[in-house]
Amino acid sequence: MSEPAAGNTGPGAEKGPGGAGYGLSGSGSGEGTRAVRAGLPKPVKHEPALPGPVFAAHFHLPGDPTGPYTYGRDENPTWTLLERAIGELEAPGRDGVETLVFSSGMAATSSVLFSQLRTGDAVVLPSDGYQALPLVRAQLEAYGIEVRTAPTGGDAQLEVLDGARLLWIESPANPGLDVCDIRRLVGAAHARGALVAVDNTLATPLGQRPLELGADFSVASGTKQLTGHGDLLLGYVTGRSGEAMAAVRRWRKIAGAIAGPMEAWLAHRSLATIQLRVDRQNATALTLAEALRGRPEVTGLRYPGLPEDPAHTIAAQQMRRYGCVVSFTLPTRARADRFLDALRFVDDATSFGGIRSTAERRGRWGGDAVPEGFIRLSVGAEDPQDLVADVLRALDETAD
Ligand SMILES: *Cc1c(COP(=O)(O)O)cnc(C)c1O
């Protein structure tokens, strides 16, 4: 067992309950082993393994106001442990990497974009990314930042990179599941002096480690498969540059986009089972995709783990697991609605990554460029045979 904990040498590294981290570094341990211990403090007699949430707006602070814990908008010991844990999964064994947690994935996303970009800068965003990005785009443009977009598949970002300050990648993209060659795009962006951020929400750090692929930031929603129970919102940024991360930290402070201690603690507790959940859910997602590919009413089936998927070759180069989301299109909106209604083990709900399967007709939101019958299905931890049987039965029962 090695220490101090890998992955977090920022201001949070030297503090927190139990002092130096007790997590395992990248070498000599598997991901499951790392996950169950990630971010834990050193064992202390009569203390719990994972200290409970610290509810504090302020901390006792006589004399000069020095850190680590002064005011609850700046730092909280429950965040410190979670940030260390996420850092150990996103960048095992890497020095000089820092993780910051936020109240949501969008808070984390906004913290990078709005702390790194200035009036007159140009940024490249995916045209097929998360549905709140168009809102972000409008806000960036209102601040005089030039926004260029490119689709995720086919590395089309290369054509609009010249003069950009930041390249924002979402791979796999939600909900269309296209993938781009992160290493290649990072190389091209760095050669032009641009920073690269990767939205790692869909892959999770067990599926893909953007910093190892050269990215400057890995940004994600912790609301989805990272925590996996559909009971909290959270976000994080892991970054390699101290200067850039200081700006992200400053943005968190001035926007006040902080995680509640209860959410942070729940997230840390859930992180211990990430390997179990991800392995189970992703294996079933592949089984389900295989079962769907023979169905005549299903078109546009996408799962990056399917060997014939257009994204598979690049995904296999840079991902170690392919996610729990399968997307496909049914012939009509009415058919898609009937199908969703007929499912017994799959809830009609948005979001993804939870241990209970969910699905939705994505077009109902109006934000994504998808057909009316497009379904995004998030595979949970049910028995694979139950889930596959349920989906196939719902298709059979709702045939025209
Ligand atoms: C959900 C999601 C977000 C936003 O996360 P929230 O926690 O809902 O704010 C960002 N990117 C992707 C790819 C997502 O799926």
Side-chain angles (χ1 to χ4, degrees):
M1 199 165 293
S2 64
E3 66 175 276
N8 191 342
T9 57
E14 300 305 321
K15 63 185 185 232
Y22 180 57
L24 302 173
S25 75
S27 53
S29 62
E31 288 177 312
T33 311
R34 211 155 56 230
V36 297
R37 291 192 180 275
L40 297 186
K42 269 187 194 146
V44 175
K45 191 174 183 181
H46 304 146
E47 294 291 328
L50 176 62
V54 176
F55 296 105
H58 55 84
F59 300 84
H60 288 301
L61 190 66
D64 288 338
T66 51
Y69 301 110
T70 57
Y71 186 57
R73 186 167 14 82
D74 294 325
E75 280 291 353
N76 174 294
T78 311
W79 305 348
T80 303
L81 296 183
L82 176 62
E83 287 169 347
R84 194 183 284 164
I86 293 171
E88 287 169 20
L89 299 178
E90 276 282 350
R94 285 197 168 227
D95 293 333
V97 170
E98 185 178 357
T99 296
L100 295 169
V101 294
F102 289 82
S103 49
S104 69
M106 283 315 296
T109 299
S110 298
S111 79
V112 172
L113 291 169
F114 292 103
S115 71
Q116 303 303 312
L117 296 167
R118 304 276 177 278
T119 301
D121 284 345
V123 59
V124 178
L125 299 181
S127 56
D128 52 350
Y130 183 61
Q131 64 165 354
L133 286 181
L135 297 174
V136 174
R137 171 184 190 156
Q139 191 61 55
L140 290 165
E141 287 173 344
Y143 291 151
I145 294 158
E146 183 196 342
V147 179
R148 307 170 186 170
T149 60
T152 298
D155 299 345
Q157 298 94 330
L158 290 171
E159 282 148 44
V160 290
L161 262 183
D162 276 347
R165 165 102 186 101
L166 178 71
L167 168 62
W168 186 272
I169 288 172
E170 191 178 307
S171 181
N174 167 23
L177 303 181
D178 264 326
V179 164
C180 54
D181 186 336
I182 296 175
R183 232 184 253 285
R184 178 177 181 215
L185 290 172
V186 165
H190 285 174
R192 292 165 172 82
L195 293 167
V196 181
V198 176
D199 183 327
N200 206 31
T201 303
L202 207 136
T204 84
L206 267 66
Q208 176 170 277
R209 298 204 287 250
L211 267 56
E212 287 177 5
L213 299 168
D216 301 283
F217 305 97
S218 179
V219 185
S221 170
T223 312
K224 315 289 170 54
Q225 203 179 15
L226 184 87
T227 62
H229 291 69
D231 53 7
L232 61 89
L233 277 90
L234 194 96
Y236 70 86
V237 178
T238 299
R240 65 165 81 247
S241 150
E243 198 185 330
M245 289 305 285
V248 172
R249 177 183 287 278
R250 181 172 168 277
W251 194 93
R252 181 174 74 174
K253 179 184 172 89
I254 60 180
I258 56 168
M262 192 68 206
E263 281 76 8
W265 184 84
L266 280 170
H268 199 162
R269 190 178 100 136
S270 301
L271 216 51
T273 56
I274 188 171
Q275 191 205 41
L276 294 171
R277 291 183 284 105
V278 164
D279 278 349
R280 166 66 161 238
Q281 292 174 240
N282 295 12
T284 309
L286 178 61
T287 304
L288 179 67
E290 285 166 353
L292 286 173
R293 69 180 160 198
R295 299 288 306 205
E297 68 274 68
V298 166
T299 56
L301 175 66
R302 294 301 302 269
Y303 183 67
L306 267 184
E308 71 268 32
D309 189 276
H312 183 71
T313 307
I314 298 164
Q317 286 169 25
Q318 64 194 22
M319 300 182 76
R320 291 167 300 127
R321 296 175 174 85
Y322 301 108
C324 65
V325 177
V326 177
S327 59
F328 55 94
T329 301
L330 294 177
T332 61
R333 169 181 176 158
R335 175 76 193 276
D337 283 335
R338 288 205 307 278
F339 165 72
L340 291 170
D341 198 41
L343 291 165
R344 283 173 52 214
F345 300 136
V346 183
D347 295 334
D348 188 343
T350 195
S351 198
F352 60 84
I355 33 99
R356 283 171 288 273
S357 291
T358 57
E360 68 172 335
R361 197 178 63 76
R362 198 60 193 168
R364 66 180 173 174
W365 295 98
D368 303 313
V370 293
E372 285 288 0
F374 180 95
I375 304 276
R376 185 184 70 190
L377 197 155
S378 170
V379 173
E382 299 86 3
D383 288 297
Q385 60 273 29
D386 288 344
L387 188 71
V388 172
D390 192 39
V391 168
L392 298 183
R393 181 195 49 77
L395 285 175
D396 287 339
E397 283 179 14
T398 56
D400 288 307

